[in-house]
mmCIF file of all heavy atoms in Angstrom:
data_model
loop_
_atom_site.group_PDB
_atom_site.id
_atom_site.type_symbol
_atom_site.label_atom_id
_atom_site.label_comp_id
_atom_site.label_asym_id
_atom_site.label_seq_id
_atom_site.Cartn_x
_atom_site.Cartn_y
_atom_site.Cartn_z
ATOM 1 N N THR A 118 -6.798 5.088 -42.466
ATOM 2 C CA THR A 118 -5.745 4.785 -41.493
ATOM 3 C C THR A 118 -4.574 4.069 -42.172
ATOM 4 O O THR A 118 -3.418 4.450 -41.984
ATOM 5 C CB THR A 118 -6.308 3.930 -40.350
ATOM 6 O OG1 THR A 118 -7.008 4.803 -39.445
ATOM 7 C CG2 THR A 118 -5.201 3.223 -39.616
ATOM 8 N N LEU A 119 -4.874 3.036 -42.972
ATOM 9 C CA LEU A 119 -3.802 2.288 -43.608
ATOM 10 C C LEU A 119 -3.028 3.182 -44.580
ATOM 11 O O LEU A 119 -1.790 3.146 -44.624
ATOM 12 C CB LEU A 119 -4.380 1.065 -44.354
ATOM 13 C CG LEU A 119 -4.997 -0.026 -43.488
ATOM 14 C CD1 LEU A 119 -5.676 -1.079 -44.316
ATOM 15 C CD2 LEU A 119 -3.918 -0.655 -42.607
ATOM 16 N N PHE A 120 -3.780 4.001 -45.362
ATOM 17 C CA PHE A 120 -3.144 4.865 -46.354
ATOM 18 C C PHE A 120 -2.287 5.936 -45.671
ATOM 19 O O PHE A 120 -1.131 6.128 -45.976
ATOM 20 C CB PHE A 120 -4.200 5.476 -47.245
ATOM 21 C CG PHE A 120 -3.710 6.463 -48.246
ATOM 22 C CD1 PHE A 120 -2.527 6.187 -48.975
ATOM 23 C CD2 PHE A 120 -4.362 7.649 -48.486
ATOM 24 C CE1 PHE A 120 -2.029 7.091 -49.889
ATOM 25 C CE2 PHE A 120 -3.876 8.554 -49.411
ATOM 26 C CZ PHE A 120 -2.693 8.298 -50.116
ATOM 27 N N ALA A 121 -2.902 6.647 -44.686
ATOM 28 C CA ALA A 121 -2.216 7.766 -44.067
ATOM 29 C C ALA A 121 -0.956 7.282 -43.324
ATOM 30 O O ALA A 121 0.105 7.917 -43.410
ATOM 31 C CB ALA A 121 -3.123 8.477 -43.105
ATOM 32 N N SER A 122 -1.037 6.140 -42.649
ATOM 33 C CA SER A 122 0.138 5.706 -41.889
ATOM 34 C C SER A 122 1.214 5.199 -42.821
ATOM 35 O O SER A 122 2.395 5.511 -42.663
ATOM 36 C CB SER A 122 -0.242 4.682 -40.818
ATOM 37 O OG SER A 122 -0.980 3.630 -41.357
ATOM 38 N N SER A 123 0.856 4.400 -43.879
ATOM 39 C CA SER A 123 1.919 3.888 -44.745
ATOM 40 C C SER A 123 2.506 5.063 -45.572
ATOM 41 O O SER A 123 3.728 5.075 -45.812
ATOM 42 C CB SER A 123 1.377 2.798 -45.644
ATOM 43 O OG SER A 123 0.247 3.197 -46.335
ATOM 44 N N PHE A 124 1.685 6.071 -45.917
ATOM 45 C CA PHE A 124 2.185 7.227 -46.621
ATOM 46 C C PHE A 124 3.161 7.990 -45.713
ATOM 47 O O PHE A 124 4.227 8.451 -46.171
ATOM 48 C CB PHE A 124 1.008 8.123 -47.055
ATOM 49 C CG PHE A 124 1.396 9.308 -47.870
ATOM 50 C CD1 PHE A 124 2.128 9.139 -49.040
ATOM 51 C CD2 PHE A 124 1.073 10.615 -47.499
ATOM 52 C CE1 PHE A 124 2.502 10.200 -49.822
ATOM 53 C CE2 PHE A 124 1.427 11.688 -48.262
ATOM 54 C CZ PHE A 124 2.140 11.508 -49.432
ATOM 55 N N ALA A 125 2.810 8.105 -44.415
ATOM 56 C CA ALA A 125 3.728 8.795 -43.497
ATOM 57 C C ALA A 125 5.025 8.062 -43.408
ATOM 58 O O ALA A 125 6.127 8.690 -43.433
ATOM 59 C CB ALA A 125 3.065 8.865 -42.116
ATOM 60 N N TYR A 126 5.000 6.718 -43.315
ATOM 61 C CA TYR A 126 6.276 5.953 -43.243
ATOM 62 C C TYR A 126 7.084 6.120 -44.512
ATOM 63 O O TYR A 126 8.310 6.223 -44.453
ATOM 64 C CB TYR A 126 5.980 4.474 -42.998
ATOM 65 C CG TYR A 126 5.164 4.171 -41.739
ATOM 66 C CD1 TYR A 126 4.425 3.035 -41.610
ATOM 67 C CD2 TYR A 126 5.229 5.061 -40.661
ATOM 68 C CE1 TYR A 126 3.690 2.766 -40.465
ATOM 69 C CE2 TYR A 126 4.489 4.819 -39.514
ATOM 70 C CZ TYR A 126 3.730 3.672 -39.414
ATOM 71 O OH TYR A 126 3.010 3.412 -38.286
ATOM 72 N N TYR A 127 6.368 6.129 -45.648
ATOM 73 C CA TYR A 127 7.063 6.268 -46.966
ATOM 74 C C TYR A 127 7.791 7.617 -46.995
ATOM 75 O O TYR A 127 8.991 7.665 -47.342
ATOM 76 C CB TYR A 127 6.006 6.171 -48.059
ATOM 77 C CG TYR A 127 6.544 6.378 -49.455
ATOM 78 C CD1 TYR A 127 7.277 5.360 -50.095
ATOM 79 C CD2 TYR A 127 6.322 7.566 -50.155
ATOM 80 C CE1 TYR A 127 7.746 5.538 -51.376
ATOM 81 C CE2 TYR A 127 6.810 7.742 -51.429
ATOM 82 C CZ TYR A 127 7.517 6.723 -52.059
ATOM 83 O OH TYR A 127 7.998 6.918 -53.321
ATOM 84 N N VAL A 128 7.100 8.706 -46.659
ATOM 85 C CA VAL A 128 7.716 10.027 -46.705
ATOM 86 C C VAL A 128 8.867 10.092 -45.710
ATOM 87 O O VAL A 128 9.938 10.633 -45.974
ATOM 88 C CB VAL A 128 6.689 11.126 -46.412
ATOM 89 C CG1 VAL A 128 7.331 12.475 -46.353
ATOM 90 C CG2 VAL A 128 5.609 11.124 -47.485
ATOM 91 N N PHE A 129 8.650 9.494 -44.532
ATOM 92 C CA PHE A 129 9.664 9.499 -43.494
ATOM 93 C C PHE A 129 10.966 8.795 -43.987
ATOM 94 O O PHE A 129 12.055 9.306 -43.805
ATOM 95 C CB PHE A 129 9.142 8.828 -42.212
ATOM 96 C CG PHE A 129 10.183 8.685 -41.112
ATOM 97 C CD1 PHE A 129 10.669 9.800 -40.455
ATOM 98 C CD2 PHE A 129 10.667 7.418 -40.770
ATOM 99 C CE1 PHE A 129 11.596 9.661 -39.437
ATOM 100 C CE2 PHE A 129 11.620 7.302 -39.770
ATOM 101 C CZ PHE A 129 12.072 8.428 -39.093
ATOM 102 N N ARG A 130 10.758 7.662 -44.612
ATOM 103 C CA ARG A 130 11.907 6.894 -45.118
ATOM 104 C C ARG A 130 12.636 7.657 -46.256
ATOM 105 O O ARG A 130 13.842 7.566 -46.417
ATOM 106 C CB ARG A 130 11.503 5.505 -45.597
ATOM 107 C CG ARG A 130 11.542 4.456 -44.525
ATOM 108 C CD ARG A 130 12.981 3.956 -44.281
ATOM 109 N NE ARG A 130 13.080 3.360 -42.935
ATOM 110 C CZ ARG A 130 13.538 4.033 -41.881
ATOM 111 N NH1 ARG A 130 13.964 5.269 -41.956
ATOM 112 N NH2 ARG A 130 13.580 3.439 -40.694
ATOM 113 N N LEU A 131 11.871 8.408 -47.044
ATOM 114 C CA LEU A 131 12.486 9.203 -48.096
ATOM 115 C C LEU A 131 13.324 10.312 -47.472
ATOM 116 O O LEU A 131 14.420 10.632 -47.937
ATOM 117 C CB LEU A 131 11.425 9.830 -48.993
ATOM 118 C CG LEU A 131 10.861 8.977 -50.137
ATOM 119 C CD1 LEU A 131 9.820 9.795 -50.903
ATOM 120 C CD2 LEU A 131 11.979 8.501 -51.084
#
Side-chain angles (χ1 to χ4, degrees):
Chain A
T118 280
L119 293 173
F120 176 43
S122 51
S123 52
F124 185 56
Y126 301 155
Y127 177 76
V128 175
F129 175 68
R130 270 281 157 264
L131 276 180

